[in-house]
Amino acid sequence: MSRRMLLGIAGVAVLSSGSCGPSAGDRSTATPSGPPPAGTRSPAAVPGPPPATHQARPTADPLFELGASDRVVALTLDDGPHPTHTPEVLELLHQHGIQATFFLIGENAAQHPDLVRAIAGAGHHVANHTWTHPDLRHLPDSRVRSELERTSDLLQQTTGKPVAWFRAPGGDWSDVALRTCAELGMRPMGWSVDPRDWACPGTEAITSRVLEGIRPGAIVLNHDGGGDRSQTIAALRGYLPVLLGEGYRFTTPR
């Protein structure tokens, strides 16, 4: 289906497929990155792996766009892994030969280590999205470090590779989060195209927001966890072949 046809359908109606995920709660008013996953536990509820060795890097501002002059974009997925939706996303990406970056929640990764290995084994980036998906701006320094460090340690132990990227839940960056990110050897990544799929606005709304916002160097935010993501899966089925047909190439930021 062409971009014109997809956008035309979106202009006629916004349909809903499946129920929305958990309430987003008190989040950033700009571009929230999704609700916390259902059944969130405290960091102490699941024991983390032995600490890994991290090499600190200079504190950096979040990467919001790629330095691309041609049609290169990055697809990112937040809040997984999810036992139903993550395999669906992986299959779609495999069909189209696309690599993406998965920002995983630590406690979800602890429950589904096989999916973490499947993501990494398919050549995608496995990245840090904290242990419990809290608003880091309101946590003490020690808790911020625990949220990031436990997640990186678990992901590195599961995949055998160090974690290079971190994303703050809701895009709610703080000085403490950025400093801790650097101390753990990661770089922060934001996004430039947000279809707000976490709010379940309808498949057509998600599709049209991505197609209208896409541009060379864009970093696209979608979700494979945190609730029912059937709308996101349907939107991916629609807009990925359109973008590929328009000459866009997908990359994972290095």
Side-chain angles (χ1 to χ4, degrees), residues 8-44:
I9 293 172
V12 173
V14 176
L15 303 180
S16 176
S17 58
S19 59
C20 278
S23 171
D26 182 16
R27 310 188 56 76
S28 169
T29 57
T31 51
S33 75
T40 296
R41 298 183 299 279
S42 67

Side-chain angles (χ1 to χ4, degrees), residues 7-215:
L7 291 178
I9 293 172
V12 173
V14 176
L15 303 180
S16 176
S17 58
S19 59
C20 278
S23 171
D26 182 16
R27 310 188 56 76
S28 169
T29 57
T31 51
S33 75
T40 296
R41 298 183 299 279
S42 67
V46 179
T53 300
H54 305 289
Q55 183 175 358
R57 66 177 70 195
T59 302
D61 292 329
L63 177 72
F64 294 106
E65 287 196 339
L66 309 176
S69 57
D70 55 1
R71 293 193 166 195
V72 176
V73 296
L75 177 65
T76 65
L77 289 305
D78 281 15
D79 293 359
H82 186 280
T84 300
H85 303 309
T86 300
E88 292 176 324
V89 172
L90 289 174
E91 178 59 27
L92 278 172
L93 298 179
H94 175 71
Q95 290 175 9
H96 295 295
I98 291 172
Q99 288 190 328
T101 303
F102 287 76
F103 285 91
L104 305 182
I105 295 175
E107 64 176 7
N108 291 346
Q111 293 178 20
H112 305 289
D114 55 330
L115 289 178
V116 178
R117 287 188 286 267
I119 293 169
H124 305 291
H125 278 187
V126 172
N128 187 322
H129 200 40
T130 71
W131 190 264
T132 63
H133 203 278
D135 186 338
L136 298 175
R137 299 171 300 175
H138 305 303
L139 298 182
D141 293 14
S142 59
R143 173 73 185 281
V144 171
R145 186 172 186 90
S146 175
E147 286 281 339
L148 274 64
E149 188 168 37
R150 293 183 70 208
T151 304
S152 282
D153 288 348
L154 173 66
L155 296 179
Q156 180 169 340
Q157 184 185 66
T158 304
T159 66
K161 300 177 181 178
V163 180
W165 293 98
F166 163 71
R167 175 172 285 165
D172 296 327
W173 305 100
S174 68
D175 290 342
V176 174
L178 291 173
R179 184 177 69 248
T180 303
C181 171
E183 290 172 353
L184 296 178
M186 297 182 289
R187 186 175 177 194
M189 188 192 303
W191 59 83
S192 57
V193 178
D194 179 8
R196 298 176 69 84
D197 64 319
W198 62 269
C200 302
T203 297
E204 287 76 18
I206 298 168
T207 301
S208 63
R209 290 169 184 174
V210 171
L211 294 179
E212 290 169 356
I214 205 74
R215 57 189 177 275

